[in-house]
Amino acid sequence: MLHTTRVLQVDAAEPAAGDIEVAAVILRAGGLVAFPTETVYGLGANALDSRAVARIFEAKGRPFTDPLIVHIAADRQLEEVAEAVPPLAHRLAARFWPGPLTLVLKRRARVPATVSGGRDTVAVRMPNHPVALRLIAAAGLPVAAPSANLFMRPSPTQASHVLDDLSGRVDLILDAGPCPIGVESTVLDLTTPIPVVLRPGGAPVEDLRALVPDLEILNRQVSADDSEAQPAPGMFVKHYSPRARLLLIAGAPDVVLHRMVAVATALQNRGLQVGVLAAAEDAQNFKAIDQVAILGRRDDLAGISHQLFAQIRTLDKSGVDVMVAGQFARTGLGLAIWDRLLRAAEGMIIHASAPPAPVQIGALKITV
Ligand code: AMP
Ligand code: MG
């Protein structure tokens, strides 16, 4: 495919106009540009050019059925990509854009079906990042952009993550440092009689309810048996996956911490390299564990979401066989954090107060 990926360092608040123009020219010519948003790095292409859009899927190894989000930089672009836009969409846009809320609406025919995996809908958002907004405005186009990672890998929150996954597969990366929020946007479907949150994300559901009191949340969680760990992975849509297995422990904070220590110790005693994703105040409890990645203070959900994917990637790079993570509060940004941890765990939850149960890690069956 491509041979080299160019990286341009840009200031997050005041990117040089010349650098933005270099990127805009690539987008207008049908190329791929990875760029920062306030959520994660996006892999952008001209949303109105089906060949450019197809290159996104190829670069990521993403199935063509998996729809992309179209990014815009001005209110008028909403009506250019979506039709029959309901008044609620305009109210939500006025309140949340630019910001981490994606609206699913009826797709205009000029947006190729490739963008939406063949659906007659289109997902749209206006990102709240100066680099993204200036790039989209300079290109003069709506920009289709999924997260700039290989399919099923954790989303990239730094330019180095993009390079790790997509070097040689993307024309240019605009590097503006780490993404502030660190988890993807909230996706809200407005094409159903009752609006549905398809994915929790950077815009808390509690905030959406102020404008959409009747909204529903799509429940993709497998019903984990209350007394035991799920018998096998793979019962859950695999996504955001570290290479290592991730064990997710649910329950009240003190019980979760106690079980995390027990699980991590048991795994390490069987000769596995263990990494723990820990709250800052709990780190001292894991002194005997091989790798400890600190996510942030338990009450700082914004700090935890900012660190989450980066720390999962750090542990993966360190070569651990298994990661152990615990539940945080599921309110506000915590719902998105829980969703990403649950998917990284492939839907398998260990309830902190449940009796020990066997889990399969590679060839080993270990009771934790
Ligand atoms: P990503 O950009 O990789 O973070 O993923 C885009 C997210 O938006 C996925 O969860 C998609 O399923 C969702 N999405 C995008 N377009 C649509 C659409 N037309 N209908 C429903 N969900 C969508
Ligand atoms: Mg993604």
Side-chain angles (χ1 to χ4, degrees):
M1 209 185 216
L2 290 162
H3 297 294
T4 52
T5 293
R6 194 171 165 198
V7 181
L8 284 175
Q9 316 280 336
V10 293
D11 189 88
E14 287 290 337
D19 292 338
I20 293 293
E21 189 53 29
V22 168
V25 166
I26 292 171
L27 287 179
R28 286 197 293 265
L32 298 184
V33 175
F35 61 95
T37 77
E38 81 280 34
T39 58
V40 302
Y41 274 78
L43 178 62
N46 177 358
L48 304 180
D49 175 348
S50 61
R51 282 187 51 202
V53 169
R55 292 188 61 209
I56 293 178
F57 290 92
E58 284 159 19
K60 283 185 60 114
R62 181 171 171 131
F64 278 90
T65 49
D66 213 348
L68 311 177
I69 295 171
V70 174
H71 293 70
I72 61 174
D75 290 327
R76 61 172 167 73
Q77 286 182 299
L78 174 57
E79 303 274 356
E80 290 171 17
V81 297
E83 63 186 24
V85 178
L88 178 59
H90 289 291
R91 288 202 297 277
L92 286 162
R95 164 73 181 75
F96 289 96
W97 285 359
L101 175 65
T102 295
L103 300 176
V104 176
L105 298 161
K106 215 169 150 10
R107 176 172 55 85
R108 259 195 208 286
R110 67 196 292 253
V111 177
T114 336
V115 167
S116 301
R119 291 168 184 74
D120 59 6
T121 55
V122 63
V124 191
R125 105 171 171 99
M126 189 188 294
N128 187 18
H129 194 295
V131 176
L133 288 171
R134 288 179 202 196
L135 172 61
I136 298 162
L141 298 162
V143 174
S147 50
N149 52 283
L150 285 173
F151 179 57
M152 298 211 302
R153 295 276 300 142
S155 292
T157 58
Q158 300 171 16
S160 64
H161 302 158
V162 182
L163 263 182
D164 284 345
D165 280 16
L166 298 177
S167 182
R169 294 167 173 252
V170 47
D171 298 292
L172 174 69
I173 301 172
L174 293 176
D175 177 0
C179 302
I181 295 179
V183 293
E184 304 87 341
S185 61
T186 303
V187 179
L188 180 65
D189 189 349
L190 294 181
T191 66
T192 46
I194 296 175
V196 186
V197 172
L198 301 178
R199 173 179 76 184
V205 167
E206 293 88 339
D207 294 356
L208 299 182
R209 280 199 210 280
L211 287 184
V212 197
D214 60 341
L215 72 73
E216 288 175 358
I217 302 173
L218 188 74
N219 190 0
R220 268 170 306 173
Q221 300 174 15
V222 285
S223 56
D225 186 287
D226 241 48
S227 60
E228 264 181 295
Q230 288 282 316
M235 300 179 65
F236 195 80
V237 179
K238 195 172 154 77
H239 213 122
Y240 307 108
S241 300
R243 294 184 214 283
R245 275 290 300 283
L246 188 146
L247 300 182
L248 176 59
I249 304 189
D254 48 336
V255 200
V256 166
L257 173 59
H258 191 255
R259 189 67 176 265
M260 284 176 75
V261 173
V263 168
T265 306
L267 295 169
Q268 199 165 279
N269 288 345
R270 290 290 296 273
L272 294 172
Q273 286 285 313
V274 179
V276 171
L277 291 161
E281 51 269 63
D282 296 344
Q284 64 196 29
N285 296 84
F286 298 107
K287 285 206 178 100
I289 303 302
D290 301 315
Q291 303 284 339
V292 181
I294 294 172
L295 295 174
R297 291 195 60 80
R298 184 170 295 288
D299 60 3
D300 177 17
L301 293 171
I304 292 171
S305 77
H306 176 70
Q307 291 286 349
L308 182 65
F309 287 133
Q311 291 295 50
I312 288 176
R313 280 181 179 260
T314 301
L315 286 183
D316 247 350
K317 271 204 160 175
S318 77
V320 297
D321 301 302
V322 58
M323 299 183 198
V324 179
Q327 178 190 331
F328 295 97
R330 289 194 220 173
T331 51
L333 271 175
L335 192 63
I337 294 167
W338 171 252
D339 175 79
R340 304 310 187 266
L341 284 172
L342 190 61
R343 295 206 225 182
E346 295 180 48
M348 203 192 81
I349 300 166
I350 296 172
H351 291 276
S353 48
V359 292
Q360 191 80 34
I361 311 281
L364 289 177
K365 194 167 202 171
I366 304 176
T367 298
V368 296

